[in-house]
Amino acid sequence: QGRLVESGGGLVQAGGSLRLSCAASVGISSINTMGWYRQRSGKQRELVAAITSGGTTDYVDSVKGRFTMSRGNAKNTVYLKMNSLKPEDTAVYYCYANYGPLAGIDIWGQGTQVTVSS
């Protein structure tokens, strides 16, 4: 029943900012962890940021100090605030979640395109 829907992608100039949103459906009763992945053209999908149910966050080195992941208060949502964007950040960004007991269930959003112009 769990679903993830991303939004907020678009075209931005280098040095600009963008905020991605990921909304989890009500059917997701217990989320163990959520994350943002990105996939550049011709490259492997990589983990950009992650957050646990306890609120602990971590980031890949290339975005530390520029990107911030957070949870929404009223809804089951997460955000990725991206500042000082670089052309190298251009990718399709995917929301990810693992929920449920034991090993849990993995679900993915459809992805949202972020393009940073030079």
Side-chain angles (χ1 to χ4, degrees), residues 3-7 19-26 28 31 34 36 51 69-80 95:
R3 293 180 294 107
L4 300 174
V5 180
E6 306 104 327
S7 63
R19 189 182 76 163
L20 306 183
S21 300
C22 175
S25 68
V26 178
I28 300 176
I31 296 175
M34 296 187 71
W36 287 97
I51 189 168
M69 187 176 181
S70 61
R71 290 183 180 271
N73 292 324
K75 298 180 179 180
N76 195 8
T77 58
V78 294
Y79 305 95
L80 185 67
C95 188

Side-chain angles (χ1 to χ4, degrees), residues 48-89:
V48 177
I51 189 168
T52 68
S53 59
T56 301
T57 57
D58 203 1
Y59 307 89
V60 67
D61 286 344
S62 61
V63 308
K64 286 182 178 178
R66 300 190 297 121
F67 291 11
T68 302
M69 187 176 181
S70 61
R71 290 183 180 271
N73 292 324
K75 298 180 179 180
N76 195 8
T77 58
V78 294
Y79 305 95
L80 185 67
K81 184 65 170 67
M82 304 182 292
N83 295 323
S84 302
L85 283 162
K86 305 174 180 179
E88 305 88 83
D89 297 318

Side-chain angles (χ1 to χ4, degrees), residues 92-112:
V92 177
Y93 285 72
Y94 297 90
C95 188
Y96 160 85
N98 176 274
Y99 72 101
L102 303 177
I105 302 296
D106 295 330
I107 54 174
W108 293 87
Q110 294 293 313
T112 184

